[in-house]
Amino acid sequence: MPLLKKKPFTLLEPPKDLEPNELVYQVRFTKEIFRDYEVYLNRINLYRQRFWTCKVSGKGNLTYEEALVSEKHAAEKVPEIPKELMTPALRTIHFSMLSLKDLADTIAAKLQEHLFVGAELHGKRKKGDLCPCKILKVLEDSTVKTKYEVAWLDRNKKVTETAVVNRDDLIWKKSPFSRNSLKPFIRKSTRQSFPWVLHDKLAEKYRISMDPPQDLKGIVFIQDGAVYNKRKKDAMEVKDSGKLKKKKVEAEEAEATKKEDNHQKEEPIKYPIDDLLVQPETDDPVFTVRPLPSRDFNVPMDGVGDLLMVWDFLSSFSKLLHLWPFSLEDFENAICRKGSNVNLIVETHSSLIRLLKSEKDECFSAVQKRTRALKITLTNWTDYLCDFLEIINIGDLSTHITTIKRGHYGLLDAQVKLGILRELVNQVLETDIAREKLAGYVEERQVLLSMKRGEALEEGRKKREEKEWLKAKSVDNGATNGHGVDSTGNNQPVLSNGNHIGQNGQIAKNKGEAFSTRPNHASNRHLEIESKKTGKKKNMGVESQAEKGIDLTKKEASLLLRDEKIAASTWSIKERRRAYFERELEKRILHTNPLGKDRDYNRYWWFKRDGRVFVESSDSKLWGCYCCKEEIDALMGSLNPKGERERALQKQVEKFYSRICLELQKRSKDLATKIALEEAVHRRSTRVRALPRENPANAFLNYVNRWKED
C-alpha cells in the first residue's frame, strides 16, 4: 500500500445500505465507492498529487497510481528467501530499532550463517581444492557437528558426484543476499519503521509474538494497535509543550473557517482533468458524433498491428535495407496473395536476411558452417529463411519450415508471414548496423535542435536590443514627430531622432547611425539561400497539391493555387527556417509515436507515408482507420478539450491537420483513378483478354527493387 507523505494510508470502506440501482462513483485503482461526486473528485485529486511513496522501493514524488505500479515492479525483485530462513530473518526485523541500512546488513550476516537445501556455495574437497557445490540434504547428528550432503558441480552447473562434508568445509564466496536486495524485503514485510513492526498476518503465520521484547518494554509501547517509540514521543511533547496553546487557537480558527466555507459556493473545477471525470455541463459546445472507423482490412484483425509495424520499419529504413519503398496497400495485398512467391515479398525477406548475414552475428553463426551460396538470390532466400526459423526456434513458426523448404511459402497464411517478418525486424533492430544508424540519427537531431535553439536565442537577443535602442532614443530625443522628403520627392514621416519611415514600414537610419533593424546579409546569407530553396520547393509543392486535388473544378483549383502561393510568398525567414528544421527532424525520426489517446484510452496513429489515421483499441485487439477529410473533421468535433487525453490528441491532430487532409485527398484521387482504370480494363476484357498485371488492383505484382545491391 503506498505511503502518504511516508505515513500509512487507509482506504475508505464502502458506504452502508447501498441500493442496487443507486448511482455511485468508483475509483478505478482503489475500488473505493462514493455517493457524492465532489467528494469523489477531491479523492481523485488527492491520488493525483505527487507526494506518495512506494512502500517497497522507497521511491517518492509519485502519484498514487504510479506508486502502485512501482510497488508491483519492486515486489517482483524482492528476493525469495527459503522457508528455513524466513523465521530467523523476520525475528531479526521485528521490533528492531536499527536503521534500514544497518538492519539489512545484520540480516545478511545472520543468513550467511544458516545453510539450507538448494544453496549453491563452495566446498573443500579431499585435496583441499575449493569447488562449487549444491546442498542436497542436511544430515542431523546430535553427537557430531552438522554434516551436509552436497553435489559437486562443473562449469555448466551439472552434477559430477556427491559427497558428505562438514559445516567448516563449506564457504560462501559471495553473500547469498545483499543489502540492496534485502531492503525491499524489509519494507514489504513491515507496516511501520523505528521500531520495525511486522504485519499481523505475517507474524501470525510464522508464530512470532506481537508483544515487545523485555529489553524494549521501557522504550516502546502499544496504543490503539500502533507501536510508538516512547523516547521520541516524550521529546516531541517537550518540544511542542510551548506551542500547545497556539495549536489550540489555530484549530479553533480552522474549524470556524471550515464552517464558513461550507456555506460558500464550491470552487469551479479547474480543467483539464482526467477524461473519465469530465461531466456534461450546460455551457458545453455541441459535440459531433464520433465516426465509426472502417475495419476493412485484408489481413486478420490480430495481424494489423504487425502489418503496420513491419511496413513502417521497412519504409523508414528503406535506404539501409536497399529496398525500394512501396505503399501499405501493395504490402497488404502481397502478404495476402497465395500461390506463387510475389517479388515484393521475396525482396523484403532477402533484404532483411542480407543485412543479418552481413552482420555475422549469432543469429547466422550456425549458417556459416553449412553449404550455402555466399550471395542471397531469389532462388535460395528460402534456405536462409529456414535456417533463421530453426535458430530462433519459435514453435508457432518452426512448424512451417517443411512447407517453406518445399517451395510453398506463398501458401502460408497472412498471420504466419507477418509473424516471420516481425521476428526478422526484431532481429535486425538488435544488430550493430541498425544501432549505429539510430545513434547517428540521435546525434544529428541533437545538432539540429541545438541550431534551432541558438537561432531562437539570437533572434530574441536582437529583438531585445532593438527594443532597448528604440526606448533609449525615444527617451533622449522626446516624442516629437516631423516630416521629411524622400529621394522621389514624396513626404515621409520622420521620427524625432531623424530616422525616416519608408512606405514598407521599415526604419531607414541616417548615415551617422550604426544600428540597423534590417538583418545582417553577410551573417545570414546561408539563411536566405535556404529560404529561396525552401520557397521554391514550397511553390512547387503547392502547384502539385493543386494539380492533384480531387473533386475540384479548374476554377476552384486555380483559386486554391493562387491563395497558397500568396501564403507561401509571405513567409518570413523565421517561418522558413522553422519549416526547414521540422523537415530535417522528420527525416531522422527514430520511431513512430501515436498522435494521442481518447477518453477510453484508444490510440490514434498517423503514418506520413500512408495518410490514413488508424485507431487501435485500448486492449490492442481491434483496429480501424479514417480515410477521408470529413471523418477527420467529425473526429476533431467529438473531442472534449476538458479531458487531458482528448485535449492532447486534439492539439496533435490540429498540428498535422493540413498534411493529413492533403494526403487523404491524394489518396482519394489515386483511388478514383484506380477505379476508373479497373473499369477500363473490365471494358477492354470484353473484347481482348487483358493480362492480370495490367489490372490496377494487382499493381504490387509489378514491383521492382530499384535499390537492390549488386
Side-chain angles (χ1 to χ4, degrees), residues 84-360:
E84 298 85 351
L85 305 183
M86 280 293 291
T87 301
L90 295 177
R91 290 188 183 278
T92 306
I93 296 172
H94 201 38
F95 287 108
S96 174
M97 304 290 288
L98 299 175
S99 64
L100 181 62
K101 174 184 174 182
D102 295 338
L103 181 58
D105 290 337
T106 302
I107 296 174
K110 286 192 175 183
L111 294 184
Q112 194 169 356
E113 298 175 359
H114 293 77
L115 301 182
F116 54 92
V117 176
E120 294 185 5
L121 61 169
H122 285 72
K124 291 183 180 179
R125 306 192 74 166
K126 294 181 179 180
K127 298 181 180 180
D129 299 333
L130 280 177
C131 297
C133 62
K134 181 178 181 180
I135 297 178
L136 301 177
K137 188 177 180 181
V138 180
L139 305 176
E140 298 291 343
D141 193 338
S142 57
T143 58
V144 191
K145 294 182 179 180
T146 305
K147 294 186 177 183
Y148 300 87
E149 182 181 352
V150 299
W152 303 108
L153 307 176
D154 58 9
R155 292 182 178 180
N156 299 324
K157 293 189 176 182
K158 293 183 179 180
V159 178
T160 57
E161 57 178 321
T162 60
V164 177
V165 296
N166 297 322
R167 173 64 182 86
D168 298 337
D169 296 332
L170 298 175
I171 301 172
W172 291 102
K173 274 198 171 183
K174 182 181 178 182
S175 178
F177 305 102
S178 64
R179 176 203 300 167
N180 293 331
S181 63
L182 287 173
K183 284 181 179 179
F185 170 74
I186 296 172
R187 292 195 187 99
K188 185 179 179 181
S189 304
T190 57
R191 58 181 172 89
Q192 75 172 69
S193 59
F194 202 71
W196 298 92
V197 181
L198 299 174
H199 293 291
D200 295 342
K201 292 183 179 180
L202 190 62
E204 182 181 355
K205 179 179 179 180
Y206 291 94
R207 299 180 181 180
I208 300 175
S209 175
M210 294 300 294
D211 297 329
Q214 293 292 335
D215 55 344
L216 293 180
K217 283 192 174 181
I219 301 176
V220 299
F221 65 95
I222 300 177
Q223 182 178 349
D224 298 332
V227 182
Y228 296 94
N229 185 352
K230 188 175 181 181
R231 295 176 183 174
K232 186 176 180 180
K233 185 177 181 181
D234 293 343
M236 292 178 63
E237 289 178 353
V238 173
K239 183 178 179 180
D240 297 339
S241 60
K243 301 180 181 179
L244 185 60
K245 186 176 180 180
K246 183 178 179 181
K247 286 185 177 181
K248 186 176 180 181
V249 174
E250 290 177 352
E252 293 175 355
E253 293 177 353
E255 186 66 25
T257 305
K258 185 177 181 180
K259 290 181 179 180
E260 293 178 2
D261 293 342
N262 290 335
H263 298 287
Q264 295 178 357
K265 187 178 179 180
E266 294 289 341
E267 293 185 3
I269 301 172
K270 294 182 179 180
Y271 294 104
I273 60 176
D274 187 271
D275 299 68
L276 299 177
L277 303 179
V278 177
Q279 296 290 330
E281 298 180 0
T282 56
D283 59 343
D284 286 344
V286 178
F287 296 106
T288 59
V289 179
R290 187 164 303 173
L292 293 176
S294 171
R295 306 194 188 279
D296 186 16
F297 298 105
N298 294 332
V299 298
M301 185 61 67
D302 54 353
V304 177
D306 289 340
L307 175 76
L308 294 175
M309 185 274 288
V310 173
W311 175 79
D312 185 51
F313 173 82
L314 296 175
S315 302
S316 302
F317 294 91
S318 55
K319 291 185 178 180
L320 178 66
L321 297 170
H322 298 278
L323 185 66
W324 183 258
F326 41 80
S327 66
L328 179 59
E329 289 87 349
D330 288 347
F331 184 54
E332 184 178 13
N333 291 332
I335 287 290
C336 296
R337 175 86 172 189
K338 286 199 173 185
S340 60
N341 294 331
V342 181
N343 189 49
L344 189 150
I345 297 298
V346 174
E347 291 289 352
T348 299
H349 285 79
S350 300
S351 62
L352 293 170
I353 296 173
R354 193 177 295 113
L355 190 144
L356 288 174
K357 184 175 178 293
S358 64
E359 182 71 13
K360 295 181 180 180

Side-chain angles (χ1 to χ4, degrees), residues 508-569:
K509 306 290 178 175
N510 290 332
K511 294 181 179 180
E513 298 292 343
F515 181 83
S516 175
T517 59
R518 299 183 65 185
N520 189 332
H521 293 279
S523 61
N524 294 327
R525 185 170 180 271
H526 66 285
L527 297 181
E528 296 184 0
I529 293 173
E530 180 62 32
S531 302
K532 292 178 181 178
K533 293 181 179 178
T534 308
K536 187 179 293 183
K537 290 181 180 179
K538 179 68 179 179
N539 293 337
M540 294 174 63
V542 170
E543 293 174 0
S544 63
Q545 292 171 15
E547 292 174 358
K548 293 183 180 180
I550 187 169
D551 297 334
L552 290 176
T553 63
K554 293 183 178 180
K555 183 177 180 181
E556 290 174 337
S558 62
L559 289 175
L560 178 63
L561 176 62
R562 185 194 64 183
D563 294 341
E564 292 190 352
K565 277 188 175 181
I566 293 173
S569 63

Side-chain angles (χ1 to χ4, degrees), residues 528-691:
E528 296 184 0
I529 293 173
E530 180 62 32
S531 302
K532 292 178 181 178
K533 293 181 179 178
T534 308
K536 187 179 293 183
K537 290 181 180 179
K538 179 68 179 179
N539 293 337
M540 294 174 63
V542 170
E543 293 174 0
S544 63
Q545 292 171 15
E547 292 174 358
K548 293 183 180 180
I550 187 169
D551 297 334
L552 290 176
T553 63
K554 293 183 178 180
K555 183 177 180 181
E556 290 174 337
S558 62
L559 289 175
L560 178 63
L561 176 62
R562 185 194 64 183
D563 294 341
E564 292 190 352
K565 277 188 175 181
I566 293 173
S569 63
T570 57
W571 276 17
S572 64
I573 293 179
K574 177 182 176 182
E575 292 171 339
R576 291 172 180 173
R577 289 297 291 175
R578 185 187 297 114
Y580 164 74
F581 283 120
E582 290 180 357
R583 186 171 62 253
E584 292 300 318
L585 287 172
E586 283 185 3
K587 292 179 182 178
R588 295 158 178 83
I589 189 170
L590 301 177
H591 55 83
T592 303
N593 292 319
L595 293 172
K597 301 177 183 178
D598 62 12
R599 182 179 186 273
D600 301 318
Y601 293 92
N602 299 318
R603 288 175 288 273
Y604 291 75
W605 298 84
W606 179 58
F607 301 95
K608 300 177 180 61
R609 302 173 184 85
D610 181 74
R612 290 175 290 180
V613 175
F614 292 85
V615 186
E616 178 188 9
S617 63
S618 57
D619 57 0
S620 302
K621 292 182 179 180
L622 287 177
W623 285 84
C625 64
Y626 295 128
C627 306
C628 63
K629 177 179 178 296
E630 291 74 19
E631 291 179 334
I632 302 300
D633 293 337
L635 170 65
M636 292 184 63
S638 68
L639 299 175
N640 192 340
K642 290 184 177 180
E644 293 175 337
R645 292 186 293 278
E646 294 199 351
R647 184 188 185 93
L649 175 60
Q650 190 179 58
K651 286 184 178 180
Q652 285 297 103
V653 176
E654 289 176 353
K655 179 180 178 181
F656 298 104
Y657 177 77
S658 60
R659 296 179 60 183
I660 292 175
C661 294
L662 179 63
E663 293 297 330
L664 290 177
Q665 286 180 355
K666 290 181 180 179
R667 179 182 176 81
S668 299
K669 182 180 179 182
D670 294 341
L671 183 61
T673 305
K674 186 181 293 185
I675 293 174
L677 290 174
E678 287 179 356
E679 292 177 353
V681 170
H682 178 70
R683 289 194 300 270
R684 179 188 172 192
S685 64
T686 59
R687 303 188 306 271
V688 181
R689 182 177 179 84
L691 296 175

